Amino acid sequence: MPDKYLEKRIHRAYGWMKYGRIKMLLVYLVICVLMIGIVSLFLGNPFPHKETIFPLLFRKNVFGFSVWDSGWLYTGITEYLYLMVTGCVIALVLAFLWLCGVSGGKLAGLDRILLKQCDVKKYMDAMNYAVDYGRGLKLQGFQESVFLLMQQRMVCAWIAGGKLEESRRFLTGEWRGKKNSNVYKQTVRTLELSEAYVSRDAERFHMLLQRAGRRFRKQKLLTARGLFLEQKYEQAAMCLQSYKGENTYHEVLRQYLLGKCLHKMENKKMAEECMEYVSVHGNTMLCQKKAQEWLLNNQENDG
């Protein structure tokens, strides 16, 4: 079970999206009002109204008459409908992005447990609780989207913790939601790549990576893993040395694989530096324990 603070964060993540559609509609209306206000600064009153015109000035007496102005909003709808529709679509997109940004920020706070603290065990407990909590809810609004993302994160946490069989069983028989969604497909692909890497099946790993989307093929860590399985250690090391992990978690994974490559290349000094980094920053990651074992064995051999 996660601590009370994490429980509250999970509850808020679901609670925020319970009335997500209403919040998005309100933000949409606010954006529309702001857009109308900005345009009105240049085009005047947007609504139908009377205007008094003073065309004559005779002996300090002003003679004028009133005319009916339909307002630029009516004119825009009747004559420039495509511009009005474009403005409405832009407002809708902005409202949706705002909702996604707020929701993503709440989930990002949970992801920091893994990405910044590298605490796989704590992250796994949090995601297990998040999925169990979601199962007990009558999902409303955009809560179903939150639940799908929680399921994805739970499986990724299991993969990080080495629970590949449990991940496979969950995706096969317990996943709630459409299995043709991008979230599900990406999660399955992540698991398949992890299974191929753990089983050291270089051919299958290469095939899966080629079939995966661009998002996977752009990840240099996956490219380096494929090269490592093919025993191309120098190429894998060059690939790993060409970038730095975007967060602590991915940097630990990079350092560990780089250390393994350098060990195969018999560069023990640099390999030791990599393993020391993993040992210090790995927290509860699986590779942290393996790095400590490597350092211990290396010290014994030197002794």
Side-chain angles (χ1 to χ4, degrees):
M1 287 288 292
D3 55 41
K4 295 297 181 181
Y5 174 73
L6 287 178
E7 287 183 12
K8 289 181 180 179
R9 297 204 67 154
I10 292 168
H11 295 171
R12 288 172 185 168
Y14 278 105
W16 171 258
M17 299 301 281
K18 182 177 181 179
Y19 302 106
R21 290 189 177 92
I22 296 176
K23 293 175 181 178
M24 180 176 167
L25 177 61
L26 291 175
V27 173
Y28 170 74
L29 293 175
V30 170
I31 294 174
C32 287
V33 171
L34 290 175
M35 292 175 69
I36 290 174
I38 293 172
V39 175
S40 296
L41 293 175
F42 301 95
L43 301 182
N45 195 331
F47 305 109
H49 61 283
K50 285 185 178 182
E51 285 190 357
T52 303
I53 300 177
F54 303 97
L56 300 176
L57 180 62
F58 181 72
R59 292 183 180 181
K60 298 183 180 180
N61 293 320
V62 179
F63 298 90
F65 57 92
S66 297
V67 296
W68 183 260
D69 190 336
S70 59
W72 66 261
L73 195 59
Y74 175 80
T75 304
I77 293 174
T78 55
E79 298 183 16
Y80 303 99
L81 182 61
Y82 67 97
L83 291 177
M84 303 298 291
V85 172
T86 302
C88 291
V89 171
I90 292 174
L92 185 62
V93 171
L94 291 175
F96 180 74
L97 291 176
W98 171 83
L99 188 68
C100 291
V102 175
S103 178
K106 294 182 181 297
L107 294 178
L110 297 172
D111 293 339
R112 290 192 191 98
I113 300 171
L114 179 67
L115 301 180
K116 298 295 183 182
Q117 302 173 19
C118 298
D119 196 338
V120 175
K121 186 178 182 302
K122 185 177 181 181
Y123 187 68
M124 198 183 306
D125 291 340
M127 291 302 105
N128 289 343
Y129 176 81
V131 172
D132 289 339
Y133 179 76
R135 283 172 174 168
L137 294 175
K138 185 178 180 181
L139 301 177
Q140 302 178 28
F142 290 121
Q143 285 183 326
E144 186 174 349
S145 299
V146 176
F147 182 68
L148 287 175
L149 294 174
M150 291 299 188
Q151 288 184 112
Q152 181 192 41
R153 281 162 168 75
M154 185 184 73
V155 173
C156 290
W158 286 357
I159 293 172
K163 296 185 176 183
L164 302 184
E165 293 182 4
E166 291 88 338
S167 301
R168 174 62 64 183
R169 284 198 299 269
F170 179 83
L171 289 172
T172 303
E174 300 179 39
W175 178 275
R176 283 176 54 180
K178 296 180 180 179
K179 292 189 176 181
N180 60 350
S181 64
N182 289 331
V183 173
Y184 181 81
K185 290 179 180 179
Q186 290 178 3
T187 308
V188 171
R189 186 66 70 195
T190 300
L191 175 60
E192 290 175 340
L193 287 167
S194 298
E195 290 173 336
Y197 180 71
V198 171
S199 62
R200 300 183 180 277
D201 191 338
E203 184 177 350
R204 176 171 170 74
F205 188 91
H206 178 75
M207 181 267 293
L208 289 171
L209 189 58
Q210 292 302 312
R211 290 182 179 179
R214 187 178 179 184
R215 173 176 172 269
F216 288 91
R217 292 195 298 270
K218 287 176 63 177
Q219 296 182 32
K220 291 187 177 182
L221 180 63
L222 293 178
T223 302
R225 283 182 172 180
L227 294 170
F228 181 83
L229 291 177
E230 295 172 3
Q231 299 182 6
K232 299 177 181 179
Y233 305 122
E234 291 187 9
Q235 294 181 35
M238 290 178 61
C239 178
L240 292 166
Q241 290 171 334
S242 67
Y243 79 102
K244 188 175 182 180
E246 57 187 7
N247 48 60
T248 308
Y249 175 76
H250 287 101
E251 178 62 14
V252 169
L253 292 176
R254 185 188 76 88
Q255 291 278 358
Y256 180 66
L257 184 56
L258 179 59
K260 291 173 66 176
C261 292
L262 294 170
H263 174 72
K264 293 289 186 180
M265 296 163 58
E266 298 184 355
N267 189 340
K268 290 188 177 181
K269 184 178 180 181
M270 293 186 65
E272 185 176 354
E273 293 177 359
C274 293
M275 293 302 179
E276 285 178 351
Y277 181 93
V278 176
S279 178
V280 172
H281 298 90
N283 204 342
T284 60
M285 294 173 63
L286 292 178
C287 59
Q288 192 262 3
K289 185 177 180 180
K290 294 178 181 178
Q292 289 181 339
E293 292 175 353
W294 186 94
L295 290 169
L296 182 61
N297 293 332
N298 189 51
Q299 290 175 358
E300 290 177 353
N301 293 334
D302 291 342

